[in-house]
Amino acid sequence: MKVWFNPSKAIESELSAIAAETEGFGADFTPGVRPADPKFGDYQANGVLGFAKKNGVNPRELGQKLIDAAITSGRFDPEMVELSLAGPGFINFKLSPAFIWQWQLDFSTKADYQSGAKALKGGRKIIIDYPSANTAKQAHIGHLRPMVIGQAIARLLDFCGANLVRDNHIGDWGTNFGTLIMKIKRDGIDLSSLGDDALVTLDQLYKDGSALETEQPELRDISRNELVLLQNGDPENTAIWQQIVEISKVAFDKLFAQMGVEVDITLGESFYRDKVDRIYDELSEIGLAEESDGALVVWHDEVKKFARDNERPYPFNIRKSDGASNYASTDLATILYRLEEFDADEVIYLTDARQQDHFQQLFLTTKKWFQAKGYKLPELSHVFWGTILGADKKPFKTKSGESIKLQELLDEARSRAFDVVTEKNPDLSEAERHEIAESVGVGAMKYADLSSNRTQDYVFSWDRLLSFEGNTAPYLLYAVARINSIFRKVGVDPEAPIEGASQLETDTEQALARKLMGFVTALELTLNDLRPHFLCTYLYELTSAYSSFYNADKVMVDDDAVKARRLILCARTRTVLKTGLELLGIKPLERM
RNA sequence: GCACCCGUAGCUCAAUUGGAUAGAGCGCCUGACUACGAAUCAGGAGGUUAGGGGUUCAAGUCCCUUCGGGUGUGCCA
């Protein structure tokens, strides 16, 4: 029996082909195949309903006609799949136990699953812009989501065949450097002698500098002048700036290693400082940019809120009235660079939801600009997320007005997980308990952030981020650990082929096997609009099916054929869970 | 003022983008360790999807409206 790797897609295309040759349908008919509620079958097609309505025919009759044609065509082997008409005109597809079992035998390794997924992004050159933190600032709770969501999306794209460049577009050229340099010079600070806590000191120096400016407004002129000096290449200020950037990079690298953030290139805003003039020239030359109140701006009259005749005008400001560049100028220069240097097919930006207007303006501007110049326009998308809020529903701050430091969150995660593992498994060595706590604690934190729809805001709570029960990373990790434990006891390599298995019998075996087939569909759905929570939901459901199976059907039984088939299910579950966890940036464990 | 987003079980969230009887976790109640790891499993109670109107064979999802909350709104990024 030849089974479909991706039944949902296979059914869709077979049915389309059959409909094209069947009277009453047409080329504009789409079957609309999707996974179904298990009580109806494995997949359902609901395209007949809308199509029948549009053409004024009875949907049940039309559905039956399609089923008959499908069976006559011979493309739907009755040994593999059973078709039936239901309700107002749904077509249900129920895969046979033989199909489901054969699927487990044919597709078994991570490489098999990956080869099925590779077509999804097949060789596309994708630049992903993340995590793009600012220099000279300690990472706080607000940096959690870019790092966690960004790495999961990057790993997904990579797994699904993208030719990926992770670009850390750091903010290293902002106006804050004026204040920072002013304060550093005023206090005579030697940046090279700050040691391990250099970033903490820089963070404090900036805060103190800002406070000082509030007290003594005349200092603002000094700061502004320091910035101008820096931008004009003054050697002393450039040297200070380089040290600040270097200190930040060292701190980033340390944090990235803890968070599992991978970066391919780091080209900050400063990299584009000599590339913005071309932007001003080109946008002016094609008549897109114009002067307004001394600044260079772009209007988008076709979008109401960006139109020039609004009561409160809202242009895309690409050069400040003092002649300096800003966020918009460097972003435009960056897109051009990504086209010319990397030949990008797609650019994905990751920021919080509050920047939606900026990206809408950026994309509109780029589209018109590239069209006028005849440049190839990459697909541009803005992947955004909601804010982490405090109990007052405002962006989260502690009582003293500070944000929680990301390092503090990581330490708390490890510490809580260490306590739990020590309680559950006191016999493990301390070193191993620390390793487990790392994966469980940090994994729980990441999973908590990934498992709900990223566009929603949520209220911060330690228990929310560091829960270890229910739909959490430890639940998934625990299932992997139990599978590993079985293979250790049986003395079999979970990666090795298992022979002599009999067909599936119990309901729990079959439910698990069906769930295993859904991995690629889950990846597709996740990739569709880059929402990792779809993958989380799938992995949770898979684990739940495994846990039911584990409790109902003993693996280590005397009957070798039964043992073999259950070991196969364990091995497949282990592979999918490990692969899925790695995609989410969570490290699977041998034991916990 | 204008624009956009949100409101689902006591709490935290799903719902494959318009599909069949709205699902999970936590908490609560009842059971299962002399069975491969109980960080688990089996079961139960808990809903007028903020209110009202409309479109549709079909609405938590689309449209209108009221109420409640959030975000953005010219030189920060």
Side-chain angles (χ1 to χ4, degrees):
Chain A
M1 186 189 299
K2 178 87 180 85
V3 298
W4 299 310
F5 174 69
N6 186 341
S8 175
K9 260 199 179 149
I11 293 171
E12 176 86 21
S13 68
E14 296 289 5
L15 224 47
S16 291
I18 290 161
E21 298 162 6
T22 305
E23 197 204 329
F25 292 91
D28 59 332
F29 171 75
T30 45
V33 178
R34 63 185 61 201
D37 188 318
K39 67 191 164 210
F40 299 121
D42 293 297
Y43 302 93
Q44 65 163 261
N46 54 34
V48 169
L49 279 161
F51 190 80
K53 177 70 184 170
K54 205 170 70 185
N55 293 283
V57 294
N58 181 313
R60 282 191 62 96
E61 277 173 24
L62 196 67
Q64 190 57 53
K65 207 164 150 185
L66 188 58
I67 290 175
D68 293 342
I71 290 168
T72 315
S73 76
R75 298 192 206 211
F76 288 86
D77 181 354
E79 303 278 308
M80 281 169 56
V81 57
E82 184 191 317
L83 282 68
S84 61
L85 189 67
F90 297 108
I91 301 172
N92 289 329
F93 302 83
K94 176 97 177 162
L95 299 173
S96 69
F99 181 106
I100 291 161
W101 179 237
Q102 191 60 44
W103 197 95
Q104 308 304 324
L105 299 178
D106 288 357
F107 309 110
S108 60
T109 64
K110 181 177 170 180
D112 287 336
Y113 302 138
Q114 188 166 17
S115 66
K118 274 211 159 145
L120 296 174
K121 282 293 172 185
R124 277 169 76 78
K125 187 80 178 182
I126 303 180
I127 316 286
I128 180 166
D129 188 320
Y130 105 104
S132 310
N134 290 332
T135 50
K137 277 185 189 158
Q138 282 188 90
H140 55 79
I141 187 85
H143 296 96
L144 179 68
R145 307 204 81 183
M147 293 194 187
V148 172
I149 294 171
Q151 72 175 272
I153 288 178
R155 287 171 183 221
L156 268 159
L157 290 167
D158 183 46
F159 186 79
C160 294
N163 182 359
L164 194 67
V165 178
R166 300 163 178 85
D167 183 3
N168 183 21
H169 189 74
I170 56 172
D172 60 357
W173 203 240
T175 42
N176 57 324
F177 283 97
T179 303
L180 206 45
I181 292 172
M182 176 276 288
K183 177 69 179 162
I184 287 166
K185 282 187 174 172
R186 195 180 158 90
D187 290 6
I189 307 277
D190 176 11
L191 292 179
S192 61
S193 66
L194 293 180
D196 287 346
D197 286 339
L199 192 70
V200 179
T201 309
L202 280 181
D203 206 356
Q204 195 57 49
L205 282 169
Y206 177 71
K207 279 178 195 144
D208 294 347
S210 298
L212 215 55
E213 285 175 352
T214 311
E215 281 168 36
Q216 305 174 45
E218 66 274 16
L219 289 177
R220 291 216 173 96
D221 291 332
I222 298 177
S223 297
R224 208 168 293 138
N225 189 46
E226 297 292 5
L227 183 67
V228 171
L229 284 172
L230 172 66
Q231 294 189 339
N232 290 337
D234 170 73
E236 189 188 0
N237 282 11
T238 301
I240 294 173
W241 171 78
Q242 275 170 345
Q243 278 181 301
I244 294 170
V245 171
E246 188 52 35
I247 288 168
S248 302
K249 276 189 178 162
V250 169
F252 279 145
D253 287 345
K254 193 178 152 206
L255 185 64
F256 288 177
Q258 294 183 75
M259 290 293 296
V261 168
E262 296 132 337
V263 158
D264 298 312
I265 52 170
T266 299
L267 296 177
E269 288 162 358
S270 66
F271 177 79
Y272 298 96
R273 61 185 186 262
D274 61 354
K275 297 178 172 57
V276 291
D277 284 344
R278 179 173 163 199
I279 306 305
Y280 308 143
D281 291 347
E282 291 199 6
L283 294 191
S284 301
E285 171 207 326
I286 61 174
L288 197 55
E290 60 187 67
E291 292 270 329
S292 172
D293 293 345
L296 192 63
V297 307
V298 178
W299 301 100
H300 295 288
D301 290 314
E302 75 281 16
V303 178
K304 214 172 149 191
K305 70 183 152 183
F306 304 135
R308 81 188 68 205
D309 52 5
N310 281 341
E311 265 179 66
R312 299 178 65 162
Y314 191 5
F316 193 44
N317 191 338
I318 66 169
R319 187 180 63 201
K320 299 197 275 187
S321 52
D322 64 5
S325 64
N326 64 6
Y327 189 31
S329 356
T330 50
D331 268 359
L332 287 165
T334 304
I335 293 191
L336 187 61
Y337 186 80
R338 285 172 178 166
L339 174 71
E340 295 188 335
E341 188 67 22
F342 293 106
D343 192 24
D345 295 308
E346 201 171 328
V347 182
I348 300 173
Y349 295 86
L350 286 98
T351 79
D352 74 78
R354 287 173 294 189
Q355 297 189 33
Q356 287 175 85
D357 285 349
H358 169 78
F359 284 102
Q360 200 184 342
Q361 287 175 311
L362 177 69
F363 295 170
L364 282 168
T365 304
T366 304
K367 197 176 161 188
K368 293 175 187 174
W369 167 34
F370 278 25
Q371 198 162 31
K373 298 294 286 184
Y375 301 153
K376 181 189 92 176
L377 182 70
E379 187 181 334
L380 303 168
S381 49
H382 179 210
V383 170
F384 57 88
W385 51 80
T387 313
I388 302 179
L389 306 170
D392 58 357
K393 304 271 180 174
K394 301 278 183 205
F396 184 61
K397 297 265 197 317
T398 60
K399 280 174 194 146
S400 60
E402 294 277 306
S403 277
I404 287 193
K405 300 284 177 281
L406 200 44
Q407 190 61 55
E408 189 185 334
L409 186 60
L410 282 164
D411 293 344
E412 180 73 19
R414 290 191 194 99
S415 148
R416 287 194 185 202
F418 186 78
D419 290 348
V420 174
V421 71
T422 301
E423 177 203 323
K424 305 268 184 196
N425 264 320
D427 297 339
L428 296 174
S429 73
E430 192 177 330
E432 187 167 7
R433 278 181 282 138
H434 276 299
E435 191 196 325
I436 292 164
E438 175 77 25
S439 170
V440 169
V442 179
M445 185 185 84
K446 290 180 174 178
Y447 190 90
D449 197 59
L450 292 168
S451 61
S452 65
N453 194 337
R454 61 175 164 76
T455 58
Q456 305 298 327
D457 295 347
Y458 66 81
V459 174
F460 176 87
S461 100
W462 291 106
D463 290 339
R464 179 201 165 95
L465 282 175
L466 300 179
S467 162
F468 299 157
E469 281 169 17
N471 185 6
T472 63
Y475 179 75
L476 310 188
L477 290 166
Y478 183 61
V480 176
R482 289 205 294 194
I483 294 171
N484 286 330
S485 175
I486 289 175
F487 279 101
R488 279 199 305 274
K489 289 216 159 81
V490 182
V492 168
D493 175 3
E495 313 271 349
I498 296 163
E499 305 291 344
S502 53
Q503 280 241 8
L504 302 176
E505 277 172 23
T506 69
D507 288 347
T508 35
E509 286 173 346
Q510 298 208 23
L512 175 57
R514 284 171 197 281
K515 220 43 190 172
L516 283 164
M517 293 173 47
F519 184 45
V520 172
T521 308
L523 287 176
E524 244 173 81
L525 195 60
T526 305
L527 218 49
N528 205 16
D529 31 328
L530 301 175
R531 290 178 198 257
H533 80 282
F534 288 124
L535 180 58
C536 292
T537 302
Y538 167 75
L539 293 174
Y540 176 68
E541 286 170 358
L542 174 65
T543 304
S544 183
Y546 178 78
S547 297
S548 298
F549 157 78
Y550 178 90
N551 276 272
D553 301 319
K554 196 175 177 195
V555 177
M556 293 165 72
V557 291
D558 293 335
D559 185 330
D560 283 341
V562 174
K563 184 160 85 178
R565 74 165 188 250
R566 291 182 179 166
L567 280 173
I568 286 177
L569 289 176
C570 288
R572 301 296 179 270
T573 306
R574 178 180 172 277
T575 303
V576 173
L577 281 180
K578 281 186 76 169
T579 306
L581 283 165
E582 279 160 7
L583 287 174
L584 297 174
I586 299 167
K587 191 172 163 247
L589 293 164
E590 181 63 27
R591 50 169 72 81
M592 65 185 271

